[in-house]
Amino acid sequence: MSSGPDTAAIHRAIEAVWRIESAKIIAALARKVRDVGLAEELAQDALVAALEQWPVDGVPDNPAAWLTQVAKHRALDRLRHVQLAERKAPEIGRELDALHAMAEADFAQAVDAALDDDIGDDLLRLVFTACHPVLSTEARVALTLRLMGGLTTDEIARAFLVPEATVAQRIVRAKRTLAEARVPFEVPRRHELEARLASVLEVLYLIFNEGYSATAGDDWMRPALCDEALRLGRIVAELVPGEAEVHGLVALMEIQASRTAARVGASGEPVLLLDQNRARWDPMLIRRGLAALARAEALGGALGPYALQAAIAACHARARTAGETDWARIAALYDALSPSPIVELNRAVALSMAFGPAAGLEVVDALQDEPALKGYHLLPTVRGDLLFKLGRHDEARREFQRAASLTRNTREQALLRARAEACGDKP
């Protein structure tokens, strides 16, 4: 088939199917070969085959089944190669050991059974493996987006504004670390589940936050990352429906994501919360977020940090105008969160809105020497805002200038410099 619109459409179809189905295929194969890296390699082989054959033969009626079948055949071919190598050489590598351990006579039937089994179990194993604490935070994020999100190395690199080679290296090292540490492909046992689940949620929220407020670059937001974190969060919530904090995180992301259209102006400039046109907030995402929060609350017990933050976001979502926001309740919810410098900074904002800027400034000033906030641009941003409201414009200008020098996001820099200039216009 000659190159043209049809070929482009087929490539888009392949990409769409891969995004949806790759995690399921990798998860099912990983359960049988006991090696996440090898499982991904087998699934990638199937993707390459699709890229070669579908433009010639057309998209099959069941693309997911086609990819799954090819991946299974690749696994069988690899097994036969292993068995042949075993006969020829006394020493074989780790990959051969892994496959030999699964080299039962009915391997093909076993893979079929794994692929036909409840895919939820395998996906949950894959989530916990990709987010294993033995990996660095950056490696967990990259591997999760690669295995669970189906993103390419280039896509991950562009999303986080790092070189593609850096992301590729992180993924390779992550797979090697998992193999060397012999991390089992399983859902943690009950006594380990809470700690391991916290790592999963941390990774998802890191991905979401990078999309919601980009740390660097020319874009204030990267909505594709928010969408990916939300998609993965919804999957995890359905896989572990009895965990309140999972629903809390989903609620938080849904409600925050509802503001996406209102957070960016016509020229890409940031629009702060109190200045946003709430008519542009997505009502469907708000409803989904409030429903997820209700699920978390219905499970009983004290709300965890994500659910508490979702309850704060819900206060904003329920207010038809900025003036109707229940700031006293928001301040009380921050009191309920485990204390940290970031929590205290956010609490200061809520206190200033509920009880006046002087109340907030008192809390902010107590954070000035906090090591965890050194170099954190939002500390001088908040302080500048409170000083401005108190009429201390020269001090406010200096704080906004300092904040602009600390952020690496060009949109945020422009906003903060504009606020500094506005201070100079005041008497």
Side-chain angles (χ1 to χ4, degrees):
M1 180 182 295
S2 62
S3 177
D6 288 345
T7 300
I10 288 173
H11 283 175
R12 287 195 297 272
I14 294 171
E15 180 181 348
V17 172
W18 179 253
R19 283 280 166 87
I20 295 169
E21 301 295 339
S22 61
K24 300 174 186 176
I25 297 170
I26 293 168
L29 288 167
R31 175 145 65 98
K32 300 313 296 178
V33 301
R34 310 290 189 187
D35 185 320
V36 170
L38 177 57
E40 193 209 1
E41 185 181 330
L42 294 168
Q44 287 280 350
D45 287 346
L47 175 63
V48 170
L51 289 169
E52 292 173 348
Q53 295 183 36
W54 293 8
V56 177
D57 301 333
V59 178
D61 293 335
N62 190 334
W66 191 98
L67 285 170
T68 298
Q69 193 69 13
V70 171
K72 184 192 75 171
H73 288 156
R74 293 293 190 274
L76 290 169
D77 290 343
R78 189 70 64 95
L79 173 62
R80 295 185 187 104
H81 176 75
V82 167
Q83 291 171 328
L84 179 62
E86 263 193 305
R87 289 194 292 269
K88 289 185 175 179
E91 302 244 344
I92 59 176
R94 175 189 56 76
E95 177 185 315
L96 303 185
D97 283 336
L99 281 169
H100 177 62
M102 300 307 300
E104 60 263 40
D106 58 344
F107 182 80
Q109 183 178 354
V111 172
D112 280 336
L115 292 167
D116 292 338
D117 201 4
D118 181 5
I119 198 66
D121 292 341
D122 287 336
L123 280 178
L124 194 56
R125 292 184 184 99
L126 187 60
V127 170
F128 278 106
T129 302
C131 298
H132 197 285
V134 73
L135 304 176
S136 69
T137 300
E138 295 82 2
R140 278 180 269 164
V141 167
L143 195 59
T144 299
L145 287 173
R146 176 63 174 254
L147 298 183
M148 293 297 298
L151 273 66
T152 65
T153 305
D154 176 59
E155 286 171 327
I156 300 169
R158 282 190 280 112
F160 285 89
L161 299 182
V162 294
E164 184 176 356
T166 299
V167 172
Q169 194 172 51
R170 286 174 185 170
I171 292 172
V172 169
R173 286 177 177 171
K175 294 174 187 175
R176 185 167 62 237
T177 299
L178 291 173
E180 291 174 351
R182 297 190 179 276
V183 171
F185 188 70
E186 65 183 15
V187 176
R189 301 191 184 280
R190 191 70 208 176
H191 68 282
E192 299 175 350
L193 182 61
E194 185 175 349
R196 291 281 299 281
L197 185 60
S199 175
V200 172
L201 301 185
E202 177 193 18
V203 167
L204 295 182
Y205 200 38
L206 280 170
I207 294 169
F208 181 87
N209 274 337
E210 183 58 31
Y212 193 70
S213 296
T215 55
D218 298 328
D219 296 317
W220 171 238
M221 293 189 70
R222 299 194 185 102
L225 277 180
C226 293
D227 293 344
E228 193 57 41
L230 252 178
R231 185 181 73 82
L232 296 178
R234 290 167 184 157
I235 290 172
V236 175
E238 295 308 313
L239 294 176
V240 284
E243 296 292 335
E245 267 295 77
V246 180
H247 299 299
L249 176 58
V250 171
L252 175 58
M253 294 192 296
E254 299 272 17
I255 296 172
Q256 287 185 320
S258 73
R259 307 173 196 154
T260 296
R263 292 189 79 236
V264 181
S267 301
E269 73 278 9
V271 181
L272 301 180
L273 177 63
L274 298 184
D275 299 325
Q276 289 170 17
N277 177 1
R278 299 187 177 212
R280 300 191 69 198
W281 288 3
D282 189 324
M284 184 188 73
L285 288 176
I286 290 174
R287 286 195 298 271
R288 291 183 67 130
L290 295 177
L293 179 58
R295 288 181 73 179
E297 293 170 339
L299 289 169
L303 294 181
Y306 292 116
L308 284 170
Q309 290 178 77
I312 291 169
C315 289
H316 295 294
R318 292 184 176 116
R320 290 174 298 176
T321 65
E324 295 179 18
T325 307
D326 189 348
W327 287 105
R329 172 165 169 73
I330 290 175
L333 287 167
Y334 276 119
D335 283 335
L337 279 165
S338 298
S340 75
I342 298 292
V343 168
E344 276 296 282
L345 185 60
N346 286 319
R347 188 174 75 90
V349 174
L351 287 172
S352 74
M353 297 301 295
F355 307 111
L361 186 60
E362 183 179 351
V363 176
V364 171
D365 283 346
L367 296 171
Q368 287 290 87
D369 297 323
E370 175 57 54
L373 297 181
K374 184 180 180 181
Y376 185 53
H377 72 283
L378 289 183
L379 177 60
T381 299
V382 171
R383 191 166 189 270
D385 185 60
L386 298 177
L387 288 168
F388 183 85
K389 289 177 179 176
L390 289 168
R392 295 160 61 178
H393 298 130
D394 286 343
E395 294 173 82
R397 182 176 63 254
R398 289 193 292 272
E399 290 297 313
F400 288 134
Q401 288 171 340
R402 187 162 73 93
S405 71
L406 292 174
T407 182
R408 293 184 294 128
N409 185 284
T410 57
R411 295 288 185 177
E412 203 162 21
Q413 286 171 356
L415 173 67
L416 290 166
R417 286 173 183 147
R419 297 193 73 185
E421 289 177 11
C423 293
D425 295 337
K426 303 298 177 181

